[in-house]
Each structure stands twice: as C-alpha cells, then as structure tokens.
Amino acid sequence: MMSPFEIRSYPKSELAMQYFPDSDPHVALNRLNAWIRRCSPLADALVDCHQSPRAKFFSAKAVRLIIDYLGEP
C-alpha cells in the first residue's frame, strides 16, 4: 500500500520525479513546468502565492496548489 502524499516543501526536480518517475530529472521538471504553464489558473495562483519561477524549491503552499489543480502524483 502506498503511503499518502506528503504536502511539504519539495525541491522542484524531486516533485517532478513524483509525477514522471521514469524520466530523467531534467526532463521531468521540463514536463511539470509545461503542465503548469498550460494550466493558466495554476500558473496565476503560483504567482499570487509568490512562488518564484527561478526558485529551486516549491513551497508547501505551492505544492498544495499543484495538487489541487493537477492531482496527486
């Protein structure tokens, strides 16, 4: 049985690998970023919560938003 997904701060590549486990970390991150860009309400919500596109980590609040819009990995 899988453990429940933990809402916490994640390095961006670690969260991306949760969504795309069979990809290279760089490719996984590019794919997650593409999903975020395609979901305008999510992209706007991340800007509103001050999640910098240049940050190396997603804050716990940003992770919650990603889960709300994209579902759990």
Side-chain angles (χ1 to χ4, degrees), residues 43-58:
D44 293 342
L46 290 171
V47 168
D48 291 345
C49 83
H50 307 290
Q51 177 65 49
S52 170
R54 296 187 186 278
K56 300 293 183 195
F57 286 79
F58 284 117

